[in-house]
C-alpha cells in the first residue's frame, strides 16, 4: 500500500511540476533560438575629420534579471536610482578603432573589466572621444586619446536622468551634468500616506494625453527632485569645475564658439497629469563662468495642452543656435496666437534673432507663411528654411540670404511629405570650424549636394545629386544599382569625390565601402560577417498589387529555404502590417523599402517563422486614406478590410498561400489593426496582437493621428474600439502585452479589459503579460517565450487548423 501511495504521489508531483514548468518561461525551437542569439554587428562612429572610425560592439540581449533591477518611474521618466541614470537600454562592452581605409588600429586600452559604455562622442578636432561607463552605483565619465587608443576615467556621479550627459566645446574641453556632491541620502516614500492625492481644475478648458509614469504623491515629488537636481561641470583637460546655478537642469546647449550656454531648468509646482517637460521652467543664457546674462523665458506649468492640426503654444518656442555664427540665438513665435486655422493671414510664424552679448531687444529675422520647421545653415549668403502643415502634409523648402533675412525667399521645393517618389533628397552637410553642420556647396557656392532614399516603384534606390541653385537643374552623380542596396553614410572628401557608403544585398551583410565618384571604383572598408547563415536559401521578393479601389499596395514575401510550391502546395501564412494614414491615394500606394536588402532579424520579428514552414507577408501596405475632405479614420474599418483582402488574394494568386490558413499579427497600432480584422472579417484563421490599445474611450483626446476628441465624435470612437466589437470575434486571438508598457495609450489594462470582454463573449483567446517589459520587449527570456507563444498558437490554429 505504501509503495502504491508513493508511486501515486510521484505521478501527481510530476504532473504538477510539468504544469508549473509550462507557467514559466518557455523556449521555441532551436532554429529560432539561434536567430535570436545571433551576434550583433557592431555600429560605426566616424570621426569628424573622416579619417578614423570606432566599431562599437554590444553584448547579447539583456536578461529578465537585468530588467528586474530597481526602477523608479517618476515625472514621465524611468531611471535606476542606484546610478541616477537610465534603467533600460543596451550598452557597449567593447570598442575597436580603424582607419577609414580599413586598417585596423586595435582595441581601446585602459577600460574596466566589464564596461557598460554609452554616449560615445568625438571631440571637434577628432583627437579624443568621450563616453560614459555605468557601474553598479554610478555613471562615470571617460576620455580616450585617439592616437594612443588609451582611455582614462575623468569623473563619476554623472546625472543621466535627462539623457544628454555631455558635450565637447571647440577648445577641447567637455561639459556635463553631475549629481550634487554631498547631497545626502535619497528621500524614501513613506509606507503610511500623509493624506489623499488631490488634483483640481480651475474651470479652464484643457486637454492632455494619457501619459504614463507620472508623479502621484508628495513623496514622489521629493524623490524626483532629489534625482533630477544637477550641477553643470566643465573639464578643461586636467580638472573638473562646477559652474552656474544648481537645479533640475534638463537641457544644456553650448553656442558654436563654446563661450555661452543655453540652459533650461525645470521647477515647481509639479503636476500629476503631465510629464516633467510640461512643468514650470526657465530658459537662460549663461557665460563660461556660470553667470546668467539673460533670462529668455519663464514658462508656467502647462496642463492644458493644445490639440489640433498645426496648433502650437503661443510665445517663444524652439530655441536654437545658428550653426554658421559664433553665438547667434534664434527662436520662433506664432503670429496667429498658436491656432493656424483661426484667422487668415500671410505669415503665421516669426523667427527672432539675438546676438551675443544678448543685450537689447531681439530682432525679427525671417517670417514663414506656414509653420516654421527649421533652418539648414550655410553662410551669410545661403541658408535653407523649411516650413509646412500637418493637416495638408505640405512641405516647402526655400533658400534665402541670412545677411538679408527680410529679402525674398526662393522656393526650391514644395511637396507632400508622403510623396516618396518625388522626394528630391536632403542637402548634404559638413562640420564647420566649430563642429556644427552647415551646407556643403560646390562651384563657388552655386551648387548643393543632395542625398536621398530614391524611392521608386521597383523599391528604394539611394542617390547622390548635385543641384544648381540658380537654374534648379539636378545632375545625378551616383545611384544604387541592383542587385545591391547602397546608402551614403558620409561625403568624406568632396574635392576628390569620395563617399563612405553602406552596401548590402540579399545574400551579403551590410559593410562599409569607399566609393570614388570620379574613378567609379569601390573599396571595402569593413568585413562584418553574416550572423544568420541558417537563413541561406530563404526566398525574398518585393510583391506589388492593387486594392479594389485601384490603390497600389505591396508586401515583402519570405518563403522557406528550398520551398517548391509545385510539390508542396500553398503554405500557412503570416501577414504582418501597420496601418498608416494618407491624404492622397496616389501616395498611399508608393513602394517603400528595397528587394535587395540583407534580411535583418530583430529579436521580435515574425520573420523567424519562415524557418518553421510559414510564408511571411512582411510590412504589407495598409494605407488608410482620407479623400474628399474626409478624415482617414472616417472609413477606417472598410479600408482595413480592403487592404487585408488585397494582400491575401495576391498571395493566393501567386500559389504560395493557403487562404484558409492565414494569420494576422501586428504590434501597437498593428495590434489594434489585428483586433479589428478579427472583429469585422473571417479572412484569418487566427490573430496575434502585441501591446495594443483596444478601447478608444481610454484615449479620449485623440490617438495616433486622430485629432478629434471622444466628445466631438463619440460614434467614431466606439466604431474604432475593438472592445465594443468583442462579440464579433469568431477566430482565435492571442494577446501579448508588456506589464511595464510605457507608451501613451497602450496601458496594460487595454489588453486585460479586452481579454475579459473576449472571454465573456466566448471567444478563443489567451492573454500573456510579460513581467517588467515596456512597449518594446527586450529581455531574452521574454522574447524567446513570446516566440514560443506565437508558434504554439500558429501551429494549433493555423498550420494544423481543422
Amino acid at each position: 500500500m505504501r509503495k502504491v501511495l508513493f508511486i501515486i504521489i510521484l505521478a501527481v508531483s510530476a504532473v504538477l511540476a510539468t504544469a508549473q514548468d509550462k507557467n514559466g518561461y518557455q523556449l521555441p525551437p532551436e532554429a529560432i533560438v539561434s536567430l535570436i542569439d545571433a551576434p550583433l554587428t557592431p555600429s560605426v562612429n566616424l570621426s569628424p575629420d573622416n579619417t578614423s572610425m570606432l566599431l562599437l560592439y554590444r553584448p547579447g540581449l539583456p536578461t529578465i534579471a537585468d530588467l528586474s533591477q530597481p526602477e523608479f518611474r517618476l515625472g514621465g521618466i524611468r531611471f535606476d536610482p542606484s546610478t541616477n541614470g537610465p534603467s533600460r537600454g543596451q550598452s557597449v562592452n567593447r570598442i575597436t578603432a580603424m582607419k577609414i581605409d580599413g586598417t585596423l588600429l586595435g582595441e581601446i586600452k585602459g577600460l574596466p573589466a566589464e564596461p557598460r559604455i554609452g554616449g560615445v562622442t568625438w571631440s571637434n578636432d577628432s583627437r579624443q572621444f568621450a563616453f560614459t561607463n555605468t557601474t553598479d552605483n554610478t555613471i562615470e565619465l571617460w576620455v580616450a586619446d585617439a592616437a594612443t587608443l588609451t582611455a582614462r576615467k575623468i569623473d563619476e556621479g554623472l546625472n543621466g536622468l535627462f539623457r544628454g550627459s555631455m558635450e565637447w566645446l571647440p577648445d577641447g574641453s567637455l561639459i556635463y551634468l553631475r549629481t550634487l556632491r554631498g547631497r545626502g541620502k535619497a528621500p524614501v516614500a513613506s509606507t503610511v500616506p500623509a493624506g489623499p492625492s488631490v488634483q483640481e481644475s480651475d474651470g479652464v478648458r484643457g486637454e492632455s494625453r494619457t501619459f504614463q509614469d507620472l508623479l502621484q504623491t508628495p513623496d514622489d515629488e521629493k524623490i524626483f527632485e532629489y534625482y533630477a537636481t544637477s550641477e553643470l561641470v566643465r573639464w578643461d583637460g586636467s580638472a573638473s569645475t562646477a559652474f552656474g546655478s544648481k537645479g533640475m537642469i534638463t537641457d544644456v546647449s553650448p553656442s558654436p564658439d563654446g563661450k555661452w550656454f543655453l540652459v533650461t531648468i525645470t521647477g515647481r509646482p509639479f503636476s500629476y497629469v503631465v510629464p516633467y517637460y510640461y512643468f514650470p521652467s526657465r530658459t537662460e543664457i549663461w557665460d563660461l563662468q556660470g553667470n546668467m546674462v539673460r533670462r529668455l523665458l519663464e514658462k508656467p506649468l502647462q496642463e492644458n495642452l493644445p490639440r489640433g492640426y498645426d496648433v502650437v503654444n503661443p510665445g517663444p518656442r524652439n530655441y536654437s543656435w545658428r550653426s554658421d555664427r559664433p553665438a547667434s540665438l534664434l527662436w520662433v513665435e506664432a503670429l496667429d496666437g498658436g491656432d493656424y486655422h483661426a484667422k487668415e493671414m500671410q505669415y503665421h510664424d516669426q523667427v527672432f534673432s539675438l546676438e551675443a552679448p544678448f543685450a537689447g531687444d531681439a530682432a525679427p529675422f525671417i517670417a514663414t507663411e506656414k509653420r516654421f520647421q527649421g533652418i539648414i545653415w550655410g553662410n551669410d549668403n545661403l541658408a535653407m528654411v523649411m516650413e509646412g502643415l500637418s493637416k495638408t502634409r505640405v512641405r516647402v523648402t526655400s533658400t534665402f540670404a541670412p545677411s538679408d533675412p527680410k529679402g525674398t525667399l526662393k522656393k526650391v521645393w514644395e511637396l507632400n511629405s508622403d510623396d516618396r517618389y518625388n522626394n528630391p533628397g536632403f542637402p548634404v552637410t559638413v562640420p564647420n570650424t566649430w563642429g556644427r553642420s552647415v551646407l556643403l556647396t560646390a562651384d563657388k557656392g552655386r551648387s548643393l549636394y543632395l542625398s536621398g532614399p530614391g524611392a521608386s516603384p521597383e523599391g528604394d534606390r539611394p542617390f547622390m545629386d548635385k543641384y544648381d541653385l540658380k537654374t534648379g537643374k539636378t545632375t545625378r552623380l551616383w545611384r544604387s544599382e541592383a542587385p545591391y542596396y547602397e546608402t551614403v553614410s558620409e561625403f568624406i572628401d568632396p574635392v576628390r569625390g569620395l563617399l563612405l557608403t553602406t552596401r548590402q544585398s540579399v545574400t551579403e551583410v551590410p559593410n562599409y565601402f569607399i566609393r570614388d565618384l570620379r574613378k567609379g571604383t569601390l573599396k571595402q572598408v569593413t568585413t562584418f560577417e553574416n550572423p544568420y547563415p541558417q537563413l541561406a536559401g530563404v526566398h525574398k521578393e518585393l510583391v506589388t498589387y492593387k486594392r479594389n479601389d485601384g490603390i497600389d499596395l505591396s508586401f515583402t514575401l519570405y518563403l522557406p529555404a528550398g520551398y517548391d510550391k509545385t510539390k508542396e502546395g500553398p503554405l500557412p501564412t503570416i501577414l504582418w502590417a501597420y496601418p498608416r494614414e494618407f491624404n492622397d491615394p496616389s501616395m498611399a500606394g508608393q513602394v517603400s523599402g528595397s528587394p535587395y536588402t540583407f534580411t535583418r532579424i530583430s529579436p521580435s520579428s515574425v520573420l523567424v517563422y519562415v524557418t518553421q514552414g510559414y510564408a511571411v507577408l512582411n510590412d504589407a501596405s495598409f494605407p488608410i486614406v482620407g479623400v474628399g475632405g474626409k478624415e482617414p479614420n472616417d472609413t477606417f474599418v472598410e479600408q482595413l478590410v480592403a487592404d487585408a483582402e488585397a494582400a491575401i488574394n495576391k498571395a493566393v494568386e501567386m500559389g504560395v498561400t493557403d487562404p484558409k490558413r492565414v494569420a494576422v499579427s501586428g504590434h501597437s497600432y498593428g495590434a489594434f489593426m489585428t483586433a479589428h480584422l478579427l472583429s469585422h472579417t473571417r479572412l484569418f484563421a487566427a490573430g496575434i496582437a502585441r501591446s495594443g490599445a483596444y478601447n478608444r474611450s481610454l484615449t479620449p483626446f485623440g490617438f495616433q493621428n486622430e485629432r478629434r476628441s471622444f466628445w466631438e465624435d463619440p460614434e467614431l470612437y466606439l466604431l474604432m474600439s475593438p472592445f465594443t466589437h468583442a462579440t464579433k470575434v469568431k477566430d482565435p486571438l492571442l494577446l501579448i502585452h508588456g506589464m511595464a508598457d510605457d507608451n501613451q495609450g497602450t496601458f496594460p489594462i487595454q489588453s486585460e479589459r479586452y481579454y475579459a470582454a473576449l472571454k465573456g463573449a466566448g471567444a478563443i483567446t489567451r492573454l500573456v503579460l510579460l513581467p517588467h517589459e515596456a512597449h518594446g520587449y527586450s529581455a531574452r527570456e521574454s522574447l524567446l517565450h513570446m516566440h514560443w507563444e506565437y508558434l504554439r498558437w500558429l501551429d494549433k490554429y493555423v498550420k494544423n487548423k481543422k
Side-chain angles (χ1 to χ4, degrees), residues 498-543:
L498 301 182
L499 302 178
L500 180 67
T501 69
T502 307
R503 181 178 166 94
Q504 59 186 296
S505 71
V506 173
T507 59
E508 298 175 36
V509 68
N511 268 292
Y512 285 85
F513 290 76
I514 293 179
R515 176 172 287 280
D516 190 318
L517 295 179
R518 295 184 178 180
K519 298 179 180 178
T521 58
L522 193 66
K523 179 183 178 182
Q524 187 167 346
V525 176
T526 60
T527 54
F528 302 140
E529 297 181 354
N530 183 354
Y532 316 116
Q534 61 270 52
L535 292 183
V538 168
H539 175 80
K540 178 182 179 181
E541 179 182 355
L542 178 64
V543 179

Side-chain angles (χ1 to χ4, degrees), residues 463-519:
F463 63 85
M464 177 68 74
D465 286 349
K466 182 185 280 190
Y467 178 80
D468 190 299
L469 289 164
K470 184 177 181 179
T471 65
K473 180 182 178 182
T474 298
T475 303
R476 177 70 31 103
L477 302 178
W478 166 83
R479 189 184 190 191
S480 179
E481 298 290 342
Y484 291 95
Y485 177 73
E486 190 173 355
T487 59
V488 177
S489 298
E490 197 75 32
F491 208 149
I492 58 176
D493 192 335
V495 176
R496 297 168 58 196
L498 301 182
L499 302 178
L500 180 67
T501 69
T502 307
R503 181 178 166 94
Q504 59 186 296
S505 71
V506 173
T507 59
E508 298 175 36
V509 68
N511 268 292
Y512 285 85
F513 290 76
I514 293 179
R515 176 172 287 280
D516 190 318
L517 295 179
R518 295 184 178 180
K519 298 179 180 178

Side-chain angles (χ1 to χ4, degrees), residues 146-348:
T148 64
L149 299 184
T150 302
R152 58 189 174 116
K153 177 182 168 183
I154 300 302
D155 203 350
E156 61 182 29
L158 273 65
N159 192 333
L161 215 65
F162 302 108
R163 299 304 193 264
S165 299
M166 60 187 173
E167 191 161 349
W168 288 97
L169 301 183
D171 63 359
S173 61
L174 194 63
I175 62 164
Y176 54 96
L177 292 175
R178 188 174 67 188
T179 57
L180 303 186
R181 297 294 192 245
R183 61 177 175 170
K185 292 185 177 180
V188 178
S190 173
T191 56
V192 179
S197 176
V198 178
Q199 300 179 45
E200 183 176 359
S201 173
D202 57 7
V204 177
R205 183 177 179 179
E207 305 168 356
S208 62
R209 301 295 294 268
T210 49
F211 297 109
Q212 304 221 41
D213 304 331
L214 302 176
L215 302 177
Q216 299 182 41
T217 67
D219 283 343
D220 285 350
E221 296 184 37
K222 296 175 185 177
I223 295 170
F224 175 78
E225 189 167 23
Y226 174 87
Y227 287 102
T229 301
S230 300
E231 58 185 1
L232 186 57
V233 181
R234 181 184 177 209
W235 175 72
D236 62 6
S238 58
S240 296
T241 306
F243 66 101
S245 303
K246 299 172 176 60
M248 290 182 284
I249 303 173
T250 59
D251 294 285
V252 180
S253 175
S255 60
D257 64 4
K259 297 179 180 179
W260 311 90
F261 303 94
L262 182 65
V263 181
T264 300
I265 305 172
T266 196
R268 292 177 177 268
F270 295 150
S271 171
Y272 293 2
V273 296
V274 291
Y276 78 90
Y277 40 87
Y278 292 118
F279 293 175
S281 66
R282 63 185 192 271
T283 301
E284 303 170 344
I285 299 178
W286 295 0
D287 62 17
L288 270 172
Q289 289 70 46
N291 301 311
M292 185 191 71
V293 299
R294 180 157 180 163
R295 181 162 293 171
L296 297 166
L297 177 67
E298 287 194 66
K299 191 168 66 174
L301 172 65
Q302 186 184 3
E303 290 187 334
N304 301 328
L305 306 179
R307 181 179 56 83
Y309 288 109
D310 308 302
V311 176
V312 298
N313 288 319
R317 69 182 196 272
N318 299 352
Y319 285 97
S320 63
W321 297 102
R322 275 186 64 167
S323 300
D324 63 333
R325 298 292 292 272
S328 179
L329 187 67
L330 289 99
W331 65 88
V332 61
E333 297 186 30
L335 298 174
D336 50 26
D339 188 347
Y340 183 90
H341 303 284
K343 59 184 73 173
E344 290 288 336
M345 52 200 308
Q346 181 177 3
Y347 296 106
H348 287 264

Side-chain angles (χ1 to χ4, degrees), residues 594-755:
S594 168
Y596 304 116
T597 55
F598 180 79
T599 301
R600 285 281 185 187
I601 304 291
S602 73
S604 60
S605 175
V606 296
L607 295 182
V608 299
Y609 307 118
V610 77
T611 66
Q612 304 301 306
Y614 288 86
V616 179
L617 315 183
N618 198 44
D619 292 332
S621 301
F622 266 66
I624 309 297
V625 187
V627 294
K630 291 186 176 182
E631 293 291 331
N633 285 339
D634 291 344
T635 53
F636 179 85
V637 172
E638 297 92 324
Q639 294 193 62
L640 207 64
V641 173
D643 292 330
E645 288 177 336
I648 294 174
N649 289 342
K650 181 61 179 179
V652 171
E653 175 192 314
M654 296 176 67
V656 298
T657 290
D658 180 349
K660 296 182 179 180
R661 295 188 298 161
V662 181
V664 61
S665 185
H667 185 92
S668 195
Y669 211 55
F672 174 70
M673 168 205 74
T674 298
H676 267 299
L677 287 172
L678 263 66
S679 299
H680 300 289
T681 78
R682 298 302 304 278
L683 293 170
F684 299 98
I688 303 176
R690 293 187 342 213
S691 299
Y694 309 105
N695 186 344
R696 285 306 171 192
S697 70
L698 297 179
T699 55
F701 294 114
F703 54 90
Q704 202 71 1
N705 288 318
E706 178 55 61
R707 306 301 173 92
R708 291 165 291 187
S709 73
F710 173 86
W711 296 274
E712 290 172 308
D713 199 338
E715 291 185 2
L716 174 74
Y717 273 68
L718 292 175
L719 177 64
M720 292 193 68
S721 295
F723 178 84
T724 64
H725 304 288
T727 57
K728 301 176 183 177
V729 175
K730 304 302 180 184
D731 297 299
L733 179 56
L734 170 63
L735 303 174
I736 303 175
H737 215 117
M739 294 176 71
D741 195 317
D742 56 347
N743 186 54
Q744 292 183 25
T746 55
F747 291 83
I749 195 173
Q750 289 274 5
S751 286
E752 293 168 352
R753 294 294 86 204
Y754 186 42
Y755 168 76

Side-chain angles (χ1 to χ4, degrees), residues 419-441:
D419 189 358
R420 302 182 74 253
Y421 289 177
N422 292 303
N423 185 345
F426 196 79
V428 176
T429 60
V430 292
N432 61 11
T433 55
W434 299 304
R436 302 300 177 98
S437 295
V438 293
L439 290 167
L440 173 62
T441 61

